[in-house]
Amino acid sequence: MSDSTSTTSSVDAIAGSIATEARSRMLEVSGLSAWYGEARVLDDVSIDVAPGEVVTLVGRNGAGKTTLLRSVMGLHRQTEGTITLDGADLAKRSPDARARAGVGWVPDDRGIYSSLTVAENLLLPPVVHADAWPLEKVYEFFPVLHERREFPGTKLSGGEQQMLAMARVLRMGSRLLLLDEPSEGLAPVIVQRIGEIIREIKSHGVAVLLVEQNVKFASTVADRHYLLAQGKVVEHLGNDDFRAREGELLTYLGM
Amino acid sequence: MSEFIQYTLQGLAAGGFYALSALGLAVIFGVLGVVNFSHGACYMLGAVISAVLLGELHVGFWVALVVVPILMFAFGVLMERLLVRWLLALDPLYNFLLTFGLTLVLVEAVKQRYGVSGLPYEVPAGLGGQVTVGSVNLSTYAIFACLFSVVVCVAVGLLLTKTRIGMIVRASTEAPERTRALGINVGRWVTPVFGFGIALAGLAGVLAAPTRAITAEMGSNFIIILFAVVVIGGLGSILGAVVAGFLVGLVEAYGIAYAPTYAQIVIFVLMALVVLVRPSGLFGREEVA
């Protein structure tokens, strides 16, 4: 991975082989750079996610994974490059306009409101797409949210809050989910459940862009993986390659 | 004992003025992140406009109770559109300074126009006398002011907890950036919320008019106590603003009655104690790092 020439060729090779499948693209990020003041934190990043596809961003802390998600959401504004969703240009739009265009935000702190009940947390965002899950379906799929619907959102356990954060954007009808470390700090059995939910989401044709440090978990849900280092995409791997190189990746990530 | 009950009522009536104003301050801070220093001046304007309506146009208290908040809402909308809005992107200190400057302008303008001696106002017909409960004589107007404040606070509470607008305001107050990322155009609510907060200060001014000396300076001390209310209740907490408003009104009334020399200090001692025990205020959320 430290050898940059082999890295570039492997990226090209995989990009080429995958491109021949002529995937339709839900999210397409092209030539994206981002700064914090003078510091460049993303450098000419190009990634894409197709409908019904789960794609992860893997990398060490500070590699730019969360900044990439925030840039797609429009929360990080110091950027250059193009971001399109289903062909529509997002780059100039405000975060709320992007959300209404179909981008679903599931932040790493889950983003549950303590001053809103569980039901209100679900009902806050506007419904933006015809495929949005009706509230009954959300409750059927997440019975615990129905049981606790009158509780303040933050009275839920960490795992339940994660489910609420994901349920919230499904109720909204988002076409692309931005999931920032959904498995972080959760018990293995809950992580497994989160995995099931992601597969369910995928089966509905929703695109998922997932930031994940947990390589094992990532390999159970994702189709493709982008490895980020110092703000650049250094590897682009199909899931089989990713699994084959799991040990190497774990070492690289320092885990 | 009867005196104690009278002081309590006076305290609750004054507390109502604080609670209404602090509620306005809290929703403005919540949604805009602006600490509105001119809130005291807006309270003063509410009282002055009531006095002018009565003195120059012979428009009485009951009409003022409706008209003045509407005028102050419009004033708030203009203030947000013309001034506050342009500084929102900068450090919050800029809007604090802006509203401080605006306070000076408003106070001096009222002084220029209406002098410093104070404007006359009467207790509205029907609320002038006293009500005797058992052996205690209570001011009818104080009872009215107190009940009216409670009703408005409850109504605002219901608006915030039971309506979609209220839900959006609560969400924006708690996490404005995240609320935008969930598809809510937070900016659309900024102007009406600001106007609403200013209208509440104006309403407190109308209610205070019959019981206070109406001068350009009446808001100056008021805003200082209002900040104590907000600190005690917890910055950004709606419930805290209301509870602390009534609490401070009571403490101030007892202070004036039983320890006149220390009346002003008592409130700030209370504030210091609350901050010592609960730095984020009685109902403030604990800061999560």
Side-chain angles (χ1 to χ4, degrees), chain B residues 44-45 48 105-115 215-216:
Chain B
M44 175 273 288
L45 275 186
V48 167
V105 172
L106 292 173
V107 169
E108 289 309 312
V110 170
K111 268 188 202 163
Q112 285 287 323
R113 181 73 178 77
Y114 300 105
T215 69

Side-chain angles (χ1 to χ4, degrees), chain B residues 225-251:
Chain B
I225 295 177
L226 209 53
F227 282 143
V229 168
V230 168
V231 171
I232 290 169
L235 196 57
S237 163
I238 306 290
L239 179 64
V242 174
V243 173
F246 283 103
L247 182 66
V248 165
L250 279 177
V251 169

Side-chain angles (χ1 to χ4, degrees), chain A residues 2-255:
Chain A
S2 54
D3 182 356
S4 67
T5 51
S6 76
T7 298
T8 316
S9 60
S10 72
V11 170
D12 290 346
I14 290 168
S17 71
I18 296 173
T20 55
E21 293 165 26
R23 285 168 293 124
S24 60
R25 283 157 180 181
M26 178 60 73
L27 174 72
E28 188 158 12
V29 173
S30 165
L32 185 75
S33 295
W35 290 262
Y36 280 106
E38 296 288 302
R40 190 175 186 136
V41 287
L42 288 180
D43 188 356
D44 196 22
V45 169
S46 299
I47 64 164
D48 58 87
V49 188
E53 193 183 32
V54 178
V55 170
T56 67
L57 300 171
V58 184
R60 291 175 175 164
N61 285 331
K65 306 181 299 283
T66 296
T67 304
L68 180 48
L69 285 197
R70 288 178 61 83
S71 302
V72 172
M73 192 68 246
L75 296 173
H76 188 82
R77 301 312 295 244
Q78 236 186 315
T79 58
E80 259 172 33
T82 61
I83 302 169
T84 59
L85 185 78
D86 231 352
D89 182 14
L90 291 186
K92 294 279 182 290
R93 297 201 204 171
S94 64
D96 52 288
R98 294 183 199 205
R100 289 193 297 275
V103 184
W105 180 239
V106 185
D108 60 347
D109 66 357
R110 336 284 195 214
I112 302 306
Y113 295 92
S114 63
S115 54
L116 269 58
T117 63
V118 169
E120 285 177 327
N121 266 282
L122 285 170
L123 292 170
L124 177 72
V127 172
V128 300
H129 194 273
D131 289 349
W133 290 24
L135 199 57
E136 303 77 54
K137 181 174 172 185
V138 170
Y139 283 150
E140 200 180 308
F141 197 72
F142 301 97
V144 65
L145 299 182
H146 183 254
E147 276 165 41
R148 309 263 162 101
R149 63 191 181 280
E150 297 301 329
F151 282 48
T154 45
K155 291 282 181 229
L156 300 182
S157 71
E160 289 162 353
Q161 287 190 33
Q162 185 61 52
M163 289 178 205
L164 176 54
M166 293 166 73
R168 182 165 60 188
V169 289
L170 292 174
R171 216 280 315 181
M172 196 177 167
S174 303
R175 308 302 301 146
L176 165 75
L177 262 50
L178 303 176
L179 298 184
D180 199 347
E181 302 221 29
S183 73
E184 194 187 16
L186 300 179
V189 58
I190 309 288
V191 173
Q192 221 169 45
R193 175 87 177 111
I194 301 288
E196 284 165 22
I197 296 165
I198 293 176
R199 282 186 288 272
E200 171 75 16
I201 291 169
K202 178 181 154 72
S203 74
H204 284 71
V206 172
V208 177
L209 182 58
L210 175 71
V211 164
E212 196 47 76
Q213 298 270 28
N214 184 338
V215 169
K216 277 208 178 343
F217 171 67
S219 71
T220 63
V221 292
D223 301 298
R224 289 185 294 128
H225 308 264
Y226 291 98
L227 184 61
L228 261 67
Q230 289 160 355
K232 289 184 178 154
V233 173
V234 292
E235 296 258 10
H236 179 191
L237 300 166
N239 200 38
D240 293 340
D241 282 346
F242 187 78
R243 278 172 185 254
R245 291 170 60 185
E246 199 176 284
E248 180 198 341
L249 289 165
L250 283 171
T251 314
Y252 171 73
L253 294 169
M255 296 195 306

Side-chain angles (χ1 to χ4, degrees), chain B residues 167-207:
Chain B
M167 189 160 93
I168 290 170
V169 168
R170 275 180 290 145
S172 309
T173 301
E174 187 177 331
E177 181 183 79
R178 182 202 306 157
T179 306
R180 275 189 282 274
L182 290 172
I184 310 280
N185 183 351
V186 175
R188 208 173 80 192
W189 299 99
V190 161
T191 307
V193 164
F194 195 88
F196 182 70
I198 299 294
L200 283 174
L203 180 63
V206 183
L207 280 177

Side-chain angles (χ1 to χ4, degrees), chain B:
Chain B
M1 189 59 198
S2 78
E3 277 181 349
F4 179 77
I5 293 170
Q6 283 165 351
Y7 296 143
T8 303
L9 180 63
Q10 292 304 331
L12 289 175
F17 310 153
Y18 293 136
L20 288 175
S21 304
L23 197 54
L25 208 57
V27 292
I28 289 175
F29 178 78
V31 175
L32 285 87
V34 170
V35 177
N36 176 29
F37 196 93
S38 70
H39 222 63
C42 293
Y43 159 83
M44 175 273 288
L45 275 186
V48 167
I49 295 172
S50 306
V52 171
L53 283 176
L54 184 67
E56 295 182 8
L57 301 170
H58 306 290
V59 171
F61 175 79
W62 299 107
V63 177
L65 204 55
V66 177
V67 169
V68 173
I70 294 173
L71 290 174
M72 293 308 291
F73 178 85
F75 179 73
V77 166
L78 284 177
M79 190 172 153
E80 197 278 331
R81 280 283 157 110
L82 299 178
L83 301 169
V84 172
R85 156 161 306 209
W86 306 102
L87 300 177
L88 283 178
L90 303 175
D91 188 288
L93 194 60
Y94 284 90
N95 258 319
F96 188 74
L97 288 173
L98 169 79
T99 53
F100 177 71
L102 192 65
T103 304
L104 299 179
V105 172
L106 292 173
V107 169
E108 289 309 312
V110 170
K111 268 188 202 163
Q112 285 287 323
R113 181 73 178 77
Y114 300 105
V116 291
S117 56
L119 296 160
Y121 207 77
E122 292 153 17
V123 176
L127 297 177
Q130 293 197 319
V131 180
T132 308
V133 181
S135 59
V136 190
N137 293 323
L138 297 172
S139 150
T140 314
Y141 186 78
I143 294 173
F144 165 78
C146 179
L147 289 179
F148 190 85
S149 308
V150 170
V151 168
V152 173
C153 287
V154 169
V156 173
L158 289 175
L159 181 74
L160 286 170
T161 52
K162 301 291 176 205
T163 68
R164 175 150 184 89
I165 295 170
M167 189 160 93
I168 290 170
V169 168
R170 275 180 290 145
S172 309
T173 301
E174 187 177 331
E177 181 183 79
R178 182 202 306 157
T179 306
R180 275 189 282 274
L182 290 172
I184 310 280
N185 183 351
V186 175
R188 208 173 80 192
W189 299 99
V190 161
T191 307
V193 164
F194 195 88
F196 182 70
I198 299 294
L200 283 174
L203 180 63
V206 183
L207 280 177
T211 62
R212 294 282 191 274
I214 304 172
T215 69
E217 294 286 359
M218 70 186 287
S220 311
N221 190 40
F222 189 80
I223 186 70
I224 302 300
I225 295 177
L226 209 53
F227 282 143
V229 168
V230 168
V231 171
I232 290 169
L235 196 57
S237 163
I238 306 290
L239 179 64
V242 174
V243 173
F246 283 103
L247 182 66
V248 165
L250 279 177
V251 169
E252 186 186 40
Y254 295 142
I256 291 168
Y258 299 113
T261 337
Y262 304 106
Q264 283 291 303
I265 302 172
V266 178
I267 293 165
F268 295 99
V269 172
L270 174 69
M271 182 179 94
L273 287 175
V274 169
V275 170
L276 271 177
V277 180
R278 281 187 64 95
S280 52
L282 292 178
F283 295 87
R285 277 189 297 275
E286 299 290 332
E287 287 290 326
V288 185

